[in-house]
Amino acid sequence: MDQTRYQIGIEQLRKIDGVGGEKVIESLKTIAPDLGNYIIEFAFGDIYPRPGLTLAERELITITSLLTAGGCEPQLEVHINGALNVGILPEKIIETFIQCIPYTGFPKVLNAVAVAKKVFADRDALPHDQPAPGKR
């Protein structure tokens, strides 16, 4: 195992996902420890530290990709927390999900919003009510 990639990756993971990310890696230790190492070394050690995008931009892309893929609700929960950790406001997360409706459809967006609602409630970060467009 390349300690440099691993160390960079674990630092990025802690910065973005904190305890949630570490729980995912820990849960893999007894069944697929190499998978946890790949996540840390490749995703967080090689991809996340690349120049060109901020951590907030990377997390916004990540939650959008997970929504679009569908069936990734546990990972979406971790990365919605990560998005909040790097400064993305709950309102921006919801608006990003709404933007996905024409491209992925209501079911995937509704699933993502349900995950976001749980994360926001757990963190006492529910977005403020905003009037619908045209109702301002």
Side-chain angles (χ1 to χ4, degrees):
M1 173 172 47
D2 184 339
Q3 286 298 322
T4 303
R5 288 175 69 217
Y6 188 88
Q7 283 309 115
I8 292 168
I10 202 74
E11 288 171 20
Q12 290 292 314
L13 178 70
R14 287 181 179 141
K15 193 182 306 181
I16 298 161
D17 294 327
V19 175
E22 289 183 22
K23 284 182 182 177
V24 170
I25 300 305
E26 188 64 32
S27 74
L28 295 170
K29 284 189 176 177
T30 58
I31 190 158
D34 287 345
L35 179 57
N37 289 336
Y38 296 147
I39 291 168
I40 292 169
E41 292 174 351
F42 178 67
F44 290 93
D46 293 341
I47 303 299
Y48 269 84
R50 290 176 53 82
L53 295 172
T54 66
L55 288 179
E57 291 167 330
R58 290 182 189 284
E59 280 303 293
L60 207 53
I61 292 165
T62 301
I63 63 175
T64 303
S65 298
L66 292 168
L67 176 158
T68 302
C72 301
E73 286 75 16
Q75 294 79 20
L76 190 56
E77 182 175 346
V78 169
H79 284 282
I80 290 171
N81 270 298
L84 294 171
N85 291 343
V86 297
I88 298 174
L89 297 174
E91 295 84 358
K92 188 169 236 177
I93 292 169
I94 296 302
E95 192 60 35
T96 299
F97 291 170
I98 290 170
Q99 178 64 30
C100 293
I101 294 169
Y103 307 101
T104 63
F106 281 99
K108 288 180 180 178
V109 171
L110 287 168
N111 289 345
V113 168
V115 174
K117 183 177 181 181
K118 178 192 178 303
V119 171
F120 298 161
D122 288 349
R123 292 180 61 147
D124 196 27
L126 287 169
H128 304 301
D129 289 335
Q130 295 186 5
K135 309 265 188 209
R136 297 172 193 221

